[in-house]
Amino acid sequence: MARPFAGGGADGRYVNLCRAAALSNATPPGEPRGCGPRHRRISMVRDLTDSLRIRPPDLVLVLLVGDGTGARRMPTVTLPDLPTTVRQAAAVGIRAVKLFASSSTRDARGTAGQDPGCLMVQAIRAVKDQHPDMAVMTETCLCSYTDSGECHLSHPDGSVDLPATADALVAQAVTQAAAGADIVGPAAMAAGSVRACRQALDGAGYGRVRMMTHLILASGLYDVYRMTMNAAPASGGRLLQISPDRAGRAVSMGLRMLQEGAGSLLLEPALFCTDILIALRARTAAPLLPFSVSGEYLSLAPDVLAEEYTMLRRAGATQIITYAATDLAASWSIPSSGVADSTRPRTASL
C-alpha cells in the first residue's frame, strides 16, 4: 500500500526522511541500497560500481607470430604486421598482448628459442617500439623449437629430462626479458622450472620482469593452435599436462607455482577451468588469467565468447586472454546486462 503524504505521525516522518534523502542524494528509507537518486541519475557511478562488466582492459590480445608461409587455420601475424596490429588494439583500449612465436629452425634441444635474434625476440621489440606502454607477455616453452614438437627435453630412452628442460626454459626466459618482455610465461609444466626461471631472472638483473606460469589441462581444444604453429607433439600428447579429471591436482600445482615465484597464473583452456579458477581464487589474491584457446575461438560466436568471459569474471578471473580481444573491444556497446554486444565477424588482423 502506498504511503500517504501526511504532515505528521509516522507517515509524515517517512515523507520528511525521503525529502531529506532526495536533497542529499542518499538512498531513501525502505529502498534497496544503490536505488537512490544518485545511483539512478549518474551513469558514471553505475559504471564504477558494476565491477563485472567486461571492458577492453580486461582482455589480453593473443598474437601468433609466424613467417607468413603456409596455410593456417588460426590468424597469424608477421613482423611487418605487428605495428599496425598493436596500434589497432591500443586504439580500442587493449593494454596487453600475449605473444607466441614459432621457428622453422628446430633441433632436439630447442636451442632456437634462446637465440637473441629469434622471432620471439624480434616480436617483443616490434611491439615495444610501436607502443612502449603495451604490456608484453610471452610464452616460454619448447614446443615451437624442438624437432619433436614436445614441450620438454628427453633422455635418450625417451623419458622426460626435467633438469635439461628447466635449463632450456631459463635460457628462453632470460632472452625474452632482455628483449623487453614484461611478463614471461613458463609453459612446459616441468617440475622445478618455475623456481629456476625466477632465480635466473633475478640473478640476471631482471627482477622487475614478472612470471605468469601456464597451468594447463590436457584438451583437444589446442589442436588447431598446434597445427598452426607446427607444435604437435610426436608422442601424441603432452606428458606433463594435467588430466581434466584431476582438478584438485591442478589447484595444488597452481598454488605451488605461486610459492615458487610465479606472480600470476594462466589457466587453460578457459572453457573447462571454471571450477579450478573458483578454487584458486578462494585461496589466493594473485592474478588469475584464463586463456580462451584456439578451439573456443573457432567454435563460439563472438557474443557467446563475451558471455563466457563475463562468467569467468564472475568466477574470479582478473583478465581474459583471447584471440578475439581487438574485435570484441572494437564492437562493444555495453548494455546494462554486462554482456558485450559483439556481432562483428572476426578479422585476420588478430
Side-chain angles (χ1 to χ4, degrees):
M1 180 180 296
R3 295 178 182 269
F5 285 85
D11 290 324
R13 287 193 297 273
Y14 177 82
V15 171
N16 290 334
L17 286 170
C18 286
R19 287 172 177 164
L23 290 174
S24 66
N25 278 330
T27 302
E31 287 196 40
R33 188 175 297 276
C35 294
R38 180 177 301 178
H39 291 271
R40 288 198 300 267
R41 296 175 185 171
I42 305 176
S43 61
M44 180 183 68
V45 172
R46 287 199 304 269
D47 290 342
L48 290 174
T49 56
D50 187 356
S51 62
L52 292 180
R53 287 188 174 182
I54 304 295
R55 298 175 173 86
D58 297 324
L59 304 179
V60 176
L61 174 63
V62 179
L63 295 175
L64 306 184
V65 186
D67 58 10
T69 62
R72 301 173 185 268
R73 287 189 60 191
M74 288 297 294
T76 61
V77 295
T78 61
L79 287 173
D81 297 331
L82 275 174
T84 298
T85 302
V86 172
R87 186 166 57 249
Q88 291 172 342
V92 295
I94 302 301
R95 299 177 183 173
V97 295
K98 173 77 171 177
L99 299 179
F100 295 78
S102 62
S103 174
S104 57
T105 302
R106 310 234 175 169
D107 60 30
R109 313 308 287 176
T111 54
Q114 308 167 24
D115 187 341
C118 70
L119 190 58
M120 175 64 84
V121 166
Q122 295 180 67
I124 294 167
R125 290 175 175 160
V127 174
K128 286 298 188 182
D129 287 347
Q130 173 60 41
H131 202 299
D133 292 333
M134 181 70 72
V136 174
M137 307 174 180
T138 63
E139 183 207 36
T140 308
C141 198
L142 295 167
C143 56
S144 292
Y145 305 101
T146 54
D147 51 16
S148 64
E150 300 287 357
C151 292
H152 63 269
L153 302 183
S154 300
H155 291 292
D157 65 1
S159 61
V160 177
D161 187 340
L162 289 175
T165 298
D167 288 345
L169 295 175
V170 161
Q172 266 195 46
V174 172
T175 298
Q176 293 169 1
D182 299 292
I183 303 174
V184 299
M189 299 280 289
S193 61
V194 176
R195 188 184 305 278
C197 286
R198 182 69 270 165
Q199 291 175 346
L201 289 169
D202 292 343
Y206 298 114
R208 61 169 180 80
V209 175
R210 299 180 182 179
M211 291 200 316
M212 178 171 63
T213 307
H214 292 220
L215 182 63
I216 310 173
L217 296 184
S219 173
L221 290 176
Y222 313 130
D223 289 350
V224 178
Y225 164 84
R226 291 171 180 170
M227 289 187 288
T228 299
M229 302 299 280
N230 193 23
S235 64
R238 299 291 187 216
L239 302 181
L240 301 179
Q241 292 179 358
I242 302 170
S243 173
D245 62 351
R246 302 190 67 184
R249 180 167 183 263
V251 172
S252 298
M253 183 172 289
L255 294 174
R256 184 165 63 250
M257 290 171 171
L258 293 172
Q259 292 172 352
E260 292 181 358
S264 56
L265 296 176
L266 179 153
L267 314 179
E268 57 178 306
L271 191 62
F272 301 149
C273 282
T274 309
D275 56 337
I276 297 167
L277 170 62
I278 292 171
L280 284 168
R281 178 52 70 218
R283 293 164 173 81
T284 180
L288 303 174
L289 290 81
F291 178 14
S292 184
V293 299
S294 58
E296 298 173 51
Y297 174 75
L298 293 175
S299 302
L300 301 178
D303 56 339
V304 178
L305 287 174
E307 294 173 3
E308 178 193 351
Y309 301 164
T310 301
M311 177 272 294
L312 292 169
R313 288 279 284 137
R314 288 200 316 267
T318 307
Q319 290 175 293
I320 313 298
I321 299 173
T322 172
Y323 297 91
T326 298
D327 278 357
L328 285 175
S331 62
W332 273 353
S333 58
I334 304 177
S336 59
S337 66
V339 176
D341 177 14
S342 176
T343 56
R344 286 170 31 128
R346 297 164 180 148
T347 67
S349 64
L350 284 177

